[in-house]
Amino acid sequence: MSSRGLLHHMIINVSNVERSSPFYTAMFRYLGYELNDSSYGEDYGYEDWKRWDLNTPHEISICQVLEPLKAVPHQRGALGHHCHIAFCAEDREDVDRFHREVLVPLAEQGLCAIEDAPCDCPEYNDGYYATFFTDPDGLKYEFVINPNHLLKKAAREAAF
């Protein structure tokens, strides 16, 4: 299988790496990432998280936003800001477990906000099951299982 076109790396700017670290540490560890490198400087900090089990580089970094942009709050839908990032779950129980073991404890500590507990989302697809949540800066994430992808992939392959 070719890795062409897959995500190589991504950088997410946060207002404060040390404040955001507990959120991203819990999420990324659950998703199979390992902390590869980090620095927590007064003016600039970062954490590089990698998946080593894939046959291609796959890294997500959180980086402290630079001055004078620290005062600019995240605004979902604004130019240059992501609307949300969705990560794949193994199955419905994986979504439930992530919510229970990762999100609920983070929310209780004030380190994330859960927008939607695990739920069916038929408006997206039959069987679409997800939980939606935000990091300390309000950046939105989703953990989802979408079985229709495999059904559509099988139908597409059968047509060829």
Side-chain angles (χ1 to χ4, degrees):
M1 179 179 168
S2 171
S3 59
R4 182 175 185 222
L6 297 180
L7 180 69
H8 186 280
H9 68 274
M10 167 191 258
I11 297 172
I12 300 168
N13 286 331
V14 298
S15 63
N16 183 303
V17 172
E18 288 185 273
R19 181 185 75 162
S20 294
S21 180
F23 168 83
Y24 285 98
T25 295
M27 180 173 72
F28 288 148
R29 282 190 178 151
Y30 185 90
L31 298 176
Y33 290 80
E34 294 177 26
L35 183 62
N36 183 60
D37 195 13
S38 62
S39 175
Y40 306 101
E42 189 171 311
D43 294 324
Y44 182 75
Y46 69 90
E47 290 184 350
D48 292 329
W49 292 86
K50 289 190 182 224
R51 287 278 308 262
W52 292 100
D53 58 328
L54 304 173
N55 293 331
T56 185
H58 189 78
E59 179 178 327
I60 302 177
S61 300
I62 61 169
C63 295
Q64 190 140 323
V65 70
L66 300 175
E67 293 286 355
L69 301 174
K70 285 183 180 181
V72 178
H74 169 71
Q75 185 174 346
R76 194 176 305 154
L79 180 65
H81 291 242
H82 76 266
C83 180
H84 78 273
I85 298 172
F87 292 98
C88 294
E90 293 289 325
D91 52 33
R92 292 172 69 96
E93 177 52 38
D94 196 26
V95 174
D96 293 339
R97 187 173 38 258
F98 178 76
H99 175 263
R100 182 177 60 249
E101 295 177 6
V102 177
L103 296 181
V104 170
L106 286 170
E108 288 172 351
Q109 297 171 56
L111 297 171
C112 82
I114 300 170
E115 290 191 352
D116 292 297
C119 59
D120 288 299
C121 303
E123 64 273 25
Y124 302 132
N125 265 316
D126 290 335
Y128 197 105
Y129 188 73
T131 183
F132 301 87
F133 52 98
T134 61
D135 82 344
D137 289 309
L139 300 173
K140 186 174 181 177
Y141 292 92
E142 172 184 355
F143 193 51
V144 59
I145 180 70
N146 181 6
N148 279 309
H149 171 73
L150 295 178
L151 296 173
K152 289 177 182 179
K153 181 181 178 190
R156 182 180 177 275
E157 290 172 352
F160 289 103

